[in-house]
């Protein structure tokens, strides 16, 4: 796997839906099934990209994470304005900041390998540490759900050690 690019971004306006879940009780499919039929009703989109975002409890943090730790997952699109929010959708402001951006290639079943590289290999050897902000994946033009040729960007919040 390739090392990431490091990018600092401003805050972003997002519109979509969310569910609380754990890895042991993963409701990602349910979330996206409720979002996808209405994604085109979102006004002021900045691109056709979709974003899968995880928000972890500031107290629990990401260290010591286990399959039963609750977090909130969002299915969202970036917008330039919160005007005309579609019914059933909510707004969210993503914190800006520094991110390590990795490319995940493959299916969701291949993601544990990417996860191990990021958190088990790259992060401990890097000049960065995990920051307590949103984690997200950008599902762009190369994203093909459950296809082995699929690609997505994995954005991990970091700060200097």
């Amino acid at each position: 796997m390739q090392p990431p690019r490091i990018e600092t971004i401003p805050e972003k306006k997002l519109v979509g839906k969310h569910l609380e879940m754990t890895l042991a009780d993963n409701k990602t499919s349910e979330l996206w099934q409720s979002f996808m039929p209405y994604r085109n009703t979102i006004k002021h989109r900045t691109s056709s990209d979709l974003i899968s975002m995880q928000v972890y409890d500031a107290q629990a943090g990401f260290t010591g994470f286990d399959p039963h730790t609750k977090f909130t997952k969002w299915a969202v699109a970036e917008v330039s304005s919160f005007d005309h929010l579609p019914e059933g959708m909510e707004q969210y402001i993503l914190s800006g900041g520094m991110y390590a951006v990795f490319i995940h290639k493959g299916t969701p079943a291949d993601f544990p390998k990417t996860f191990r590289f990021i958190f088990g290999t790259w992060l401990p050897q890097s000049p960065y540490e995990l920051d307590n902000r949103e984690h997200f994946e950008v599902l762009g033009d190369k994203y093909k759900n459950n296809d082995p040729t699929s690609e997505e960007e994995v954005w991990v919040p970091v700060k200097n050690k």
Side-chain angles (χ1 to χ4, degrees):
M1 181 159 207
Q2 296 293 325
R5 71 180 190 270
I6 304 298
E7 205 168 308
T8 300
I9 59 171
E11 69 180 26
K12 295 178 178 285
K13 293 180 173 103
L14 306 174
V15 169
K17 294 185 170 204
H18 67 89
L19 282 176
E20 187 174 273
M21 64 184 76
T22 67
L23 288 179
D25 183 22
N26 193 330
K27 298 177 183 173
T28 300
S29 182
E30 177 185 334
L31 173 64
W32 282 95
Q33 286 173 5
S34 74
F35 173 79
M36 289 303 282
Y38 304 101
R39 71 188 181 281
N40 293 327
T41 65
I42 299 172
K43 306 280 188 219
H44 312 292
R45 287 182 60 179
T46 61
S47 77
S48 61
D49 294 348
L50 298 175
I51 297 171
S52 179
M53 178 176 65
Q54 297 73 233
V55 180
Y56 300 99
D57 180 17
Q59 302 236 273
F62 196 74
T63 53
F65 192 79
D66 73 49
H68 302 286
T69 300
K70 288 183 180 180
F71 62 94
T72 304
K73 181 166 259 194
W74 287 78
V76 295
E78 184 179 355
V79 297
S80 58
S81 168
F82 287 135
D83 292 344
H84 309 292
L85 196 64
E87 188 174 331
M89 298 272 186
E90 296 181 61
Q91 64 188 43
Y92 187 95
I93 297 179
L94 174 89
S95 307
M98 187 172 20
Y99 280 85
V101 184
F102 299 84
I103 303 298
H104 169 70
K105 295 180 182 181
T107 67
D110 300 323
F111 196 79
K113 184 171 42 174
T114 299
F115 189 85
R116 282 191 300 276
F117 173 76
I118 294 169
F119 296 102
T121 303
W122 179 81
L123 191 61
Q125 297 172 6
S126 78
Y128 305 102
E129 61 187 7
L130 201 57
D131 199 359
N132 191 16
R133 290 180 283 116
E134 303 92 341
H135 295 237
F136 62 96
E137 295 80 46
V138 175
L139 313 177
D141 294 340
K142 294 182 179 180
Y143 179 76
K144 302 172 199 138
N145 192 24
N146 288 320
D147 185 309
T149 65
S150 183
E151 289 185 27
E152 64 190 88
E153 291 183 343
V154 179
W155 291 65
V156 177
V158 294
K159 61 185 178 182
N160 291 316
K161 285 184 182 170

